[in-house]
Amino acid sequence: MAKNILITGATGLVGSRLTELLMQKGYNVSHIGRAKRSGQIPSYVWNVEEGTIDKNILQDIDTIIHLAGAGVADKRWTAARKKEILDSRINSTRLLFESLRKQTHQVKSVISASAIGLYGFTAGEEIFDEDTKPGSDFLAQVTKQWEEEIDLISTLGIRTVKMRIGIVLSDKGGALPAMAKPIRFGIGAPLGSGKQYLSWIHLDDLCAMFLMAVENESMNGAYNAVGSGWVTNEDMTKSIAHTLNKPLWLPNVPAFFMKIMIGEMADIVLNGSKVSSEKIQKLGFEFRHTDLSVALRELLKK
């Protein structure tokens, strides 16, 4: 009998593709969001700010995939935006926890998004694994508090998995179109030193990891959802330019200029991290997209 899966944040990049793949495999998928949506997929409503949720939401649900949260790179980090980034993650997860605690249900698994931002950023060669302690910057502390809320769900006897997501490559949105845009116009350049490492993963590999977490009931706790390797910002920029057959003639964009343009959020692009996916690979996960140049040709030449 097919599992019934509820997805929060289902209209985003990951949720949209994951919904397609789950339905292709015969799962029954439903969504929860701010507004009820028409269509073939059952849709429920919650209001995270007010702490309200559809009373029928957990009926017959076996697994929850929790992807909700305000986009980290969507807007400049004002004090209000930083609060929104934190609150959207904390409050949505807490609302799920309270619903699971109070309602009668059959939910056996909650698989939640998290982020490699937990580890902070470094200019060095340190490799981060799931046992690395959290960093001290804004995103690290957001992710730390987010995961603490997720961990509360496990105290209810529910299998809980945290997927620490890296830089997701897709032609539908996320980092890649933003990186490719200036290069398409002939004004691309590496950012800052260009030596900062990017731990990337193809969208379909990321969704395959979520599918594995749904199906492999031995999975518990945190897993780094990144590819099998990493590249520098400079190498990524050069690979995109080569794929698009565009020249790179400008000097690197200075760090101070990035900070003037986008403020504290510049830390995301000026720094990086080498994150290991060895833990999930040891469980038998096999990547379909390991070669950056091949992945870029597939995504940018469509």
Side-chain angles (χ1 to χ4, degrees):
M1 188 172 173
K3 285 183 179 177
N4 298 317
I5 297 179
L6 173 69
I7 305 180
T8 78
T11 59
L13 180 67
V14 179
S16 298
R17 181 60 174 149
L18 190 52
T19 295
E20 292 176 3
L21 295 174
L22 284 164
M23 293 179 71
Q24 285 173 16
K25 294 199 73 173
Y27 288 101
N28 302 313
V29 179
S30 55
H31 293 169
I32 184 167
R34 295 182 178 184
K36 195 170 183 66
R37 301 171 68 211
S38 58
Q40 68 182 85
I41 299 171
S43 173
Y44 300 90
V45 176
W46 67 355
N47 187 316
V48 171
E49 292 79 11
E50 295 180 4
T52 58
I53 190 168
D54 193 310
K55 296 299 182 188
N56 299 316
I57 188 63
L58 298 180
Q59 191 172 354
D60 300 326
I61 296 297
D62 303 296
T63 299
I64 298 172
I65 297 178
H66 181 36
L67 305 173
V72 167
D74 292 355
K75 299 177 184 177
R76 192 180 181 96
W77 286 358
T78 61
R81 182 59 179 175
K82 288 169 78 170
K83 185 176 186 302
E84 185 179 0
I85 288 170
L86 176 63
D87 288 353
S88 64
R89 287 160 173 77
I90 299 298
N91 295 341
S92 62
T93 309
R94 190 169 297 168
L95 185 51
L96 277 182
F97 168 74
E98 291 296 340
S99 300
L100 289 164
R101 185 174 68 85
K102 295 174 181 177
Q103 294 183 28
T104 301
H105 62 82
Q106 62 184 39
V107 176
K108 296 179 177 63
S109 305
V110 173
I111 299 152
S112 180
S114 181
I116 61 171
L118 177 75
Y119 308 123
F121 299 109
T122 178
E125 298 291 326
E126 180 184 0
I127 298 174
F128 299 126
D129 64 21
E130 288 82 356
D131 294 326
T132 303
K133 291 183 179 179
S136 58
D137 60 75
F138 167 65
L139 282 185
Q141 289 303 300
V142 165
T143 312
K144 177 176 180 289
Q145 293 176 67
W146 186 14
E147 288 203 357
E148 288 170 354
E149 294 293 329
I150 298 164
D151 288 340
L152 285 177
I153 295 171
S154 66
T155 67
L156 302 175
I158 296 170
R159 181 174 70 95
T160 306
V161 180
K162 297 170 289 190
M163 306 299 287
R164 293 174 180 164
I165 301 172
I167 296 169
V168 182
L169 298 189
S170 166
D171 59 331
K172 301 289 193 302
L176 184 58
M179 288 188 283
K181 187 174 182 178
I183 296 171
R184 289 185 190 276
F185 286 107
I187 53 172
L191 304 177
S193 70
K195 305 302 181 189
Q196 63 273 35
Y197 286 100
L198 307 178
S199 295
W200 65 277
I201 185 168
H202 190 288
L203 175 62
D204 281 355
D205 278 335
L206 174 60
C207 289
M209 285 187 179
F210 273 94
L211 280 166
M212 182 179 181
V214 168
E215 296 171 350
N216 185 341
E217 295 181 1
S218 71
M219 287 180 69
N220 257 299
Y223 296 86
N224 288 332
V226 295
S228 57
W230 40 77
V231 295
T232 64
N233 175 272
E234 182 176 27
D235 287 341
M236 177 70 81
T237 306
K238 287 179 177 178
S239 293
I240 293 171
H242 179 74
T243 303
L244 295 174
N245 198 27
K246 295 288 185 178
L248 288 178
W249 56 275
L250 290 171
N252 289 22
V253 180
F256 76 86
F257 181 76
M258 292 299 299
K259 289 176 180 176
I260 290 170
M261 291 296 293
I262 59 175
E264 185 183 354
M265 194 167 67
D267 286 344
I268 299 176
V269 293
L270 293 174
N271 300 294
S273 54
K274 298 170 78 171
V275 178
S276 169
S277 58
E278 185 177 350
K279 182 179 177 182
I280 199 165
Q281 289 186 71
K282 282 183 175 178
L283 285 181
F285 184 83
E286 296 182 3
F287 291 94
R288 288 182 53 227
H289 305 274
T290 56
D291 187 307
L292 178 63
S293 60
V294 173
L296 290 177
R297 279 201 302 274
E298 174 204 320
L299 294 170
L300 293 174
K301 290 294 183 82
K302 285 184 177 179

